[in-house]
Amino acid sequence: MLCLGIETSCDDTSLALVEDSVLLGQESVSQAGMHALFGGVVPELASREHVRFIGPLCDRLLRRACVAAGDIDLVCPARGPGLLGSLLVGISFAKAFALGSGARFLGVNHLHAHIFAAGLERELPLPALALLVSGGHSMLYRAEAPDNFALLGKSIDDAAGEAFDKAGKMLGLPYPAGSAMDALAEEGCASPRLFPRPYSDNESLDFSFSGLKTAMWLYISEHPECRVSFDAASGEAVIPQGEKRAAMADVCASYRLAVVDSLCVKVERAIERGGAAGARSLILAGGVAANSLLQRRMGDIADRAGLPLCVPSLKLCADNGAMIAYLGVLLAGAGYVHNLDMEAVPRGKPIPDDMIRVSTPPG
Ligand code: KG4
Ligand code: ZN
């Protein structure tokens, strides 16, 4: 089954072709540089950029993979959660493509797609306990099958990636700051008591990061030397050297430790409570899955639980069309489709269980 996957839920325009479980090609444009000028994603600009890029990316993808529109069996856009205007660009494009080419149409849950992304690179033993951490979401799921997820916990305020991005902004780092903070943290020495572990001392499996952000704000107010300098000519952030750099690295290391502790305590609690009973793997997914300390700590948890840890490679951690296409293939293989009146689901709204089951899978 040949599937065109389309990801436009936030600030990445990414289209991919997946045949069964093989990634044939992917074409992506990240808008991060443009949104960095504003310190975060500007929804209206994001939609306009998707409109600008989606057609040319699709042409290039098909040309490079030597695939004609009529060869495609299935078209899958991310249907949500995400920015409404951005989702609508990808969904409208996918509907028009399906109408024109005769391919089947199926909208895919962006969060579930993140969790199955590693399946493009390795076997993904199910059921799995899955931690999904990105710029917009922090969720803990038990994944039974491509169409069967139980939500065990979620962030009650900011997402883990947002906690990095906002703290990075306070330090003067460009958006998105997660990877730069991670790199600096690798050089630094973490003080376990510098920042709190919000919402840990309770029975819940939910996460909270807004208090941590406030703690960072208070710390930087008292230690302005931890902030980056700016080049007078270009106005660009310059990470300092010497003692100042060491101070900044220590703050990043302490902050990263607090975020990772806050995530791992809930994963361990879920395992203690039987959330991993009968599970055959532990999955770490989403942009923050690239965090080196989080990968090490989740590796330790997986070892103790006797489970393999499945983490997608960097290009499949961030938002991408391949993960959308791959989950689409799995769901369509189980006989699911959507009608062309399927609607986009913005962030904060539940995704309806409105897939239709047909008797013959496409392809
Ligand atoms: O999944 P993703 O590409 O987009 C969303 O759906 O949000 O995740 C992007 C997020 C950003 O918040 C970015 O700062 C964070 O992932 N991120 C990291 C690292 N690399 C990316 N956070 C911590 N450590 C990293 N190495
Ligand atoms: Zn995402």
Side-chain angles (χ1 to χ4, degrees):
M1 186 194 314
L2 181 59
C3 176
L4 170 65
I6 302 174
E7 162 58 36
T8 61
S9 66
C10 189
D11 61 346
D12 292 287
T13 320
S14 179
L15 284 80
L17 282 169
V18 168
E19 183 146 39
D20 302 326
S21 58
V22 178
L23 177 58
L24 299 185
Q26 175 161 277
E27 298 292 334
S28 311
V29 172
S30 166
Q31 306 171 8
M34 182 191 69
H35 296 294
L37 299 172
F38 304 92
V41 178
V42 183
E44 176 61 26
L45 291 181
S47 326
R48 290 184 198 194
E49 291 295 281
H50 290 308
V51 170
R52 207 152 73 86
F53 290 120
I54 195 163
L57 285 180
C58 186
D59 287 345
R60 197 161 75 194
L61 176 69
L62 267 55
R63 195 173 59 248
R64 287 190 172 163
C66 298
V67 163
D71 298 336
I72 292 171
D73 303 304
L74 175 71
V75 184
C76 294
R79 76 167 307 189
L83 301 172
L84 186 58
S86 292
L87 288 166
L88 282 171
V89 176
I91 292 173
S92 308
F93 187 89
K95 287 180 178 176
F97 194 102
L99 259 181
S101 69
R104 288 209 187 160
F105 173 81
L106 177 66
V108 166
N109 181 318
H110 172 91
L111 305 178
H112 295 176
H114 266 301
I115 288 169
F116 273 79
L120 275 166
E121 298 173 323
R122 54 166 297 166
E123 194 209 347
L124 216 53
L126 297 176
L129 185 64
L131 177 66
L132 165 60
V133 272
S134 71
H137 297 91
S138 300
M139 327 282 267
L140 189 57
Y141 287 101
R142 186 180 160 98
E144 302 285 344
D147 62 345
N148 185 354
F149 291 78
L151 181 63
L152 306 179
K154 62 178 190 326
S155 176
I156 58 167
D157 41 55
D158 294 350
E162 208 174 344
F164 279 114
D165 294 339
K166 288 184 174 163
K169 190 172 175 181
M170 293 174 204
L171 289 168
L173 293 167
Y175 167 89
S179 135
M181 284 187 80
D182 188 23
L184 275 166
E186 286 290 287
E187 296 174 21
C189 185
S191 305
R193 292 183 194 284
L194 198 57
F195 295 110
R197 311 295 185 259
Y199 215 63
S200 302
D201 201 10
N202 57 25
E203 287 300 301
S204 171
L205 292 179
D206 288 340
F207 311 100
S208 166
F209 294 104
S210 61
L212 197 49
K213 195 176 57 186
T214 311
M216 178 62 119
W217 175 251
L218 291 172
Y219 185 84
I220 295 175
S221 314
E222 286 166 19
H223 301 86
E225 71 278 6
C226 294
R227 298 192 82 250
V228 299
S229 334
F230 288 91
D231 179 70
S234 66
E236 282 184 12
V238 182
I239 296 177
Q241 298 303 324
E243 264 178 41
K244 231 184 136 184
R245 183 185 181 101
M248 202 173 169
D250 288 350
V251 179
C252 288
S254 305
Y255 189 84
R256 179 181 70 167
L257 181 63
V259 174
V260 170
D261 277 349
S262 308
L263 291 168
C264 289
V265 74
K266 303 291 170 139
V267 176
E268 287 178 309
R269 189 172 296 163
I271 293 174
E272 277 161 25
R273 291 212 197 137
R280 294 174 58 229
S281 62
L282 187 60
I283 297 174
L284 173 60
V288 183
N291 189 271
S292 30
L293 179 65
L294 182 59
Q295 286 197 8
R296 294 196 287 272
R297 290 279 297 276
M298 286 290 283
D300 294 343
I301 294 174
D303 285 348
R304 284 198 293 276
L307 299 171
L309 177 67
C310 304
V311 192
S313 62
L314 212 55
K315 75 169 193 291
L316 294 178
C317 275
D319 286 349
N320 63 86
M323 68 181 192
I324 304 294
Y326 180 55
L327 185 57
V329 166
L330 297 178
L331 291 169
Y336 290 111
V337 293
H338 269 125
N339 286 331
L340 291 182
D341 60 0
M342 183 212 77
E343 291 182 343
V345 182
R347 197 174 160 192
K349 291 249 167 75
I351 301 217
D353 188 7
D354 58 359
M355 290 189 296
I356 300 162
R357 217 164 189 156
V358 291
S359 51
T360 47

